Amino acid sequence: MSEEKHHISSYTSHFLVLGALLLLTAVSVAVTSLEMGKYDTLVAMLIAGTKAAIVLTWFMHLRFDNKIYAIFTVAVIVLFLLVLYITFFDYSYR
Amino acid sequence: MSASTATASEHVSFLEYKGKYKGILGWILSTDHKRVGLLYLYTMLVFFSLAATLGLLMKLQLIAPGYTIMGPQTYNAMFTVHGIIMIFVIVVPGLPAVFGNFFLPLMIGAKDVAFPKLNLASWWIYIIGILVVLSSQFVGGWPDTGWTFYAPYSFRTPANVLPALFGAFILGFSSILTGINFVVTIHRMRAPGMTWFKMPLFPWTLYATAWIQVLATPVIGITLLLTVMERVWGIGIFDPNLGGDPILYQHLFWIYSHPAVYIMILPGLGVISEIIPVFSRKRIYGYKAIVLSSLAIAFVGYFVWGHHMFTSGMSGRALFAFSFLTFLVAIPSAIKVFNWVATMYKGSLNLQTPFYWAVSFIFVFMVGGFSGLTLGSLAANVHIHDTHFVVAHFHFIVFGGTGFSFMAALHYWFSKMFGRMYDRGWANTGWVVFFAGFLTLYLPMFGLGMQGMPRRYYDYLPEFHAGNIISSLGAILMIAGAAIVIVNLVRSARHGEKTSEKNPWGGKTLEWETDTPPTFENWEDIPSVEERPYEYK
Ligand code: HEM
Ligand SMILES: [Cu+2]
């Protein structure tokens, strides 16, 4: 059970993650100046989603851990997207 | 630990075991999963009695049209508090918190759950949540929104809804923590040899339930908080006057609350799947079908929430999709019924109290399920939505399903939990009275609903009088039955005949191999498993 390898991330990888997050935060502020109508939310969500993915993959070690964690995480995200899709299915046909 | 470290003191039962703290502190600060389970049991007993009393008072009000014993505002407060307690305090934590805590480690051959301290913390959070809900009694009065807190009423009513919203929010955390604990326990702590498909069915259903607890509960948490913010600051998310959408509230509420009905019922299905083979002396029919249908229920159950909103003004296409998905979810439930019946077929039935509760469960569960399908069909729903038909449906399936399986579990595992046996004569009498009362109370509501009697009103038109008289008399009978059952169990837990028999019913699962009652860490040697469960020859 406790035999699993532990991956130790380097400081460089932490700083790269931090840099990416700061950059994307700047991007999400910047895009507010573009008028994209109903795509505003979509773009904001995509940027936020990318940030979450970076945190999960590198900072939270999903890349280096046992595959099962990655599988569960992806499954949960798919479930969430389905729920979101069904909710907006109602809105788009009202 | 190895057997060599075993000393005589390890044979002290968990009830007598002396840890760091003495007396009551030894309970409310104990991280022993069995004590935590019993803490939940006692808490639920208290609050169930309270909420059942409110229910009885409502039925007495409805015994005749007009003002009988209370007016409209009191009635509204009563069904609200009754619903909040019954749902969030009793049936949602329900079987996992009591029997899951007590028996999951025993059934998979573990010494405790994965995070014992977190487990105790979830009980404390639960208690804090209850106190916050009930604080409205002392600050500002009772809420009157119903347990569903629908927008926009929940932020327009002058009644005091904030404590209830906050309390339900806090209770959610308790549920999430229990879920996380069980997922990890089941993944990491099964005894050697217990592969996934050698795991008994109750742990399987706890596993499916735990995922719903972890993934769905945050949604209700956020929703309740947004409602608080809407009420306090008018943030304009649900309030149509501020550009919000009240139907969004219903979406969010039911995205949690429909999966939550499977939190309530799945562990019950697991208990029944334990009891039926033991009392039929036969291997369970279709073990894998039961496992897979539990997972299927948990999964498909995420996508049917819209069937609570058929009359809300959702788009037509969404209505159609939700109705279709609702019909799908009935299939895995029905599979289980076939499995149980096939298990009993040609078995040598052992007619004892747990078995009575289990077979009556199958009956009420089917009435509840079929009425659910009636409600799930679009055209019928328009007529019977928000009538007593719905009240009958969910009482059959929540009280009938979760309640009966809870009682079945309690009578099945009682001697293991307390080292004493209940009086079987009284237990059977209680069951007969309760069952008769239950049917008399809820069956007439189907008729009343189809005639058009709405739910959540303190008064009704004279043509509904006959049905209501029968139903209210049924309530009295049922409460009498519940009193017999509970008094018998409480008395027996303290003064019943002592027993240390490990396996009174001839069960094949691991919990029957521990001492009765189990010792502090359950096992001297962790057992190893070769056979599948329920192998009766
Ligand atoms: C065959 C499976 C089921 C189907 C098809 C089904 C269908 C439905 C439908 C369509 C409604 C909405 C009625 C309306 O308001 O117009 C409903 C309400 C309800 N159902 Fe079910 N149901 C099923 C199983 C369950 C289970 C297993 C539970 C709980 C353990 C449950 C608990 C409830 C509750 C609590 C409500 C009422 C909520 C409220 O408005 O206060 N149902 N059901
Ligand atoms: Cu539902």
Side-chain angles (χ1 to χ4, degrees):
Chain A
M1 268 198 177
S2 49
E3 311 290 272
E4 283 158 20
K5 286 181 280 159
H6 285 281
H7 177 88
I8 313 230
S9 319
S10 59
Y11 278 109
T12 335
S13 120
H14 284 341
F15 279 114
L16 282 176
V17 169
L18 180 65
L21 293 181
L22 288 174
L23 187 75
L24 285 169
T25 308
V27 173
S28 51
V29 175
V31 292
T32 52
S33 58
L34 305 177
E35 289 294 339
M36 289 175 293
K38 64 179 177 181
Y39 296 107
D40 269 346
T41 323
L42 185 68
V43 171
M45 290 296 282
L46 280 179
I47 298 175
T50 316
K51 287 161 85 176
I54 293 173
V55 170
L56 284 168
T57 327
W58 282 282
F59 190 72
M60 295 178 80
H61 284 206
L62 269 188
R63 251 200 93 158
F64 319 110
D65 257 333
N66 196 326
K67 272 257 165 0
I68 185 95
Y69 299 115
I71 295 174
F72 272 114
T73 311
V74 171
V76 168
I77 292 171
V78 169
L79 180 80
F80 173 71
L81 289 177
L82 277 171
V83 166
L84 218 58
Y85 173 76
I86 297 181
T87 310
F88 283 94
F89 186 79
D90 167 26
Y91 283 90
S92 48
Y93 288 107
R94 252 198 234 155
Chain B
M1 319 279 129
S2 68
S4 59
T5 58
T7 60
S9 70
E10 285 185 37
H11 279 283
V12 175
S13 90
F14 79 99
L15 293 167
E16 273 129 40
Y17 178 82
K18 294 212 170 34
K20 240 194 295 180
Y21 304 99
K22 288 198 190 60
I24 181 130
L25 286 184
W27 283 82
I28 60 175
L29 296 178
S30 167
T31 54
D32 181 344
H33 65 101
K34 302 182 286 301
R35 289 199 172 190
V36 175
L38 290 185
L39 286 178
Y40 273 108
L41 179 65
Y42 302 143
T43 320
M44 280 178 200
L45 184 67
V46 171
F47 290 101
F48 174 79
S49 309
L50 174 68
T53 309
L54 297 180
L56 183 65
L57 290 175
M58 286 189 280
K59 288 313 292 184
L60 292 178
Q61 160 59 26
L62 290 180
I63 204 161
Y67 185 107
T68 318
I69 58 167
M70 66 181 85
Q73 193 56 34
T74 316
Y75 187 84
N76 293 357
M78 286 215 172
F79 72 65
T80 303
V81 177
H82 169 83
I84 293 174
I85 294 182
M86 285 298 192
I87 297 281
F88 293 113
V89 178
I90 308 294
V91 288
V92 166
L95 288 122
V98 177
F99 301 107
N101 267 326
F102 200 109
F103 286 102
L104 172 63
L106 293 171
M107 293 179 90
I108 63 173
K111 292 196 166 180
D112 207 313
V113 290
F115 308 117
K117 286 184 183 159
L118 201 63
N119 201 20
L120 177 64
S122 28
W123 181 75
W124 274 102
I125 294 173
Y126 172 71
I127 294 293
I128 294 169
I130 296 176
L131 292 179
V132 172
V133 168
L134 293 183
S135 69
S136 60
Q137 160 75 24
F138 308 102
V139 279
W142 285 12
D144 65 347
T145 57
W147 75 282
T148 45
F149 303 112
Y150 266 18
Y153 187 68
S154 56
F155 41 82
R156 298 225 178 116
T157 170
N160 181 22
V161 289
L162 288 181
L165 287 167
F166 266 124
F169 173 72
I170 295 171
L171 286 168
F173 281 92
S174 162
S175 196
I176 295 172
L177 294 184
T178 304
I180 293 177
N181 222 333
F182 285 4
V183 168
V184 179
T185 307
I186 292 172
H187 270 274
R188 308 291 300 209
M189 297 177 66
R190 279 170 289 132
M194 184 178 278
T195 55
W196 282 98
F197 285 114
K198 282 185 186 155
M199 188 162 73
L201 289 161
F202 181 55
W204 258 117
T205 52
L206 288 174
Y207 182 69
T209 307
W211 274 111
I212 313 181
Q213 288 177 304
V214 174
L215 297 182
T217 316
V219 182
I220 189 88
I222 298 287
T223 311
L224 295 176
L225 271 194
L226 286 172
T227 311
V228 169
M229 292 184 205
E230 187 71 297
R231 193 174 163 91
V232 180
W233 294 305
I235 55 173
I237 180 159
F238 301 134
D239 190 344
N241 290 348
L242 304 172
D245 177 16
I247 298 181
L248 179 64
Y249 175 86
Q250 296 192 22
H251 272 302
L252 291 172
F253 182 83
W254 291 110
I255 286 174
Y256 164 74
S257 294
H258 185 82
V261 308
Y262 293 107
I263 297 180
M264 305 169 197
I265 197 70
L266 271 170
L269 304 176
V271 163
I272 302 304
S273 309
E274 296 292 336
I275 293 178
I276 296 285
V278 172
F279 288 81
S280 311
R281 287 286 171 283
K282 260 183 75 194
R283 198 166 97 201
I284 187 97
Y285 181 87
Y287 169 90
K288 277 201 182 159
I290 297 188
V291 169
L292 296 178
S293 59
S294 302
L295 297 176
I297 288 180
F299 181 71
V300 183
Y302 276 105
F303 310 118
V304 302
W305 75 84
H307 63 216
H308 297 271
M309 308 162 54
F310 285 157
T311 58
S312 69
M314 249 194 319
S315 76
R317 287 189 203 209
L319 293 179
F320 173 79
F322 278 125
S323 182
F324 176 74
L325 289 165
T326 300
F327 275 77
L328 283 189
V329 82
I331 296 172
S333 315
I335 289 178
K336 288 196 186 348
V337 173
F338 285 116
N339 282 307
W340 296 324
V341 176
T343 307
M344 288 187 279
Y345 179 66
K346 287 193 176 165
S348 70
L349 301 184
N350 180 11
L351 300 180
Q352 303 271 6
T353 325
F355 185 73
Y356 291 140
W357 282 107
V359 277
S360 50
F361 167 94
I362 300 180
F363 176 74
V364 288
F365 179 66
M366 285 188 57
V367 176
F370 279 125
S371 59
L373 285 175
T374 314
L375 286 164
S377 69
L378 281 177
N381 186 276
V382 176
H383 291 278
I384 49 185
H385 172 67
D386 260 348
T387 69
H388 266 62
F389 192 95
V390 177
V391 182
H393 159 68
F394 70 74
H395 279 90
F396 259 90
I397 210 145
V398 181
F399 198 8
T402 312
F404 278 48
S405 56
F406 195 97
M407 283 302 171
L410 205 50
H411 286 88
Y412 179 53
W413 281 316
F414 190 87
S415 65
K416 184 61 76 184
M417 299 167 83
F418 298 100
R420 291 174 187 273
M421 195 56 193
Y422 48 83
D423 182 309
R424 297 179 194 212
W426 278 115
N428 291 341
T429 314
W431 167 75
V432 172
V433 177
F434 186 92
F435 192 29
F438 180 89
L439 296 179
T440 323
L441 164 55
Y442 294 115
L443 275 178
M445 289 188 186
F446 283 121
L448 289 169
M450 283 194 285
Q451 289 173 337
M453 178 174 162
R455 67 192 281 206
R456 294 181 172 172
Y457 284 84
Y458 89 116
D459 191 9
Y460 51 81
L461 299 174
E463 62 252 42
F464 303 131
H465 196 181
N468 273 296
I469 293 180
I470 300 173
S471 172
S472 292
L473 294 178
I476 297 170
L477 190 63
M478 189 190 75
I479 293 287
I484 298 175
V485 172
I486 292 174
V487 169
N488 182 35
L489 290 179
V490 171
R491 229 201 91 259
S492 307
R494 311 188 55 196
H495 310 293
E497 187 193 325
K498 273 204 161 163
T499 170
S500 58
E501 199 184 335
K502 282 189 176 179
N503 191 357
W505 314 116
K508 295 276 186 184
T509 36
L510 281 183
E511 81 272 28
W512 300 114
E513 290 176 22
T514 54
D515 289 345
T516 293
T519 53
F520 171 56
E521 282 190 324
N522 307 341
W523 318 91
E524 273 168 40
D525 299 300
I526 295 286
S528 66
V529 182
E530 273 118 48
E531 275 197 329
R532 290 190 297 172
Y534 323 113
E535 288 293 338
Y536 289 96
K537 301 280 152 40

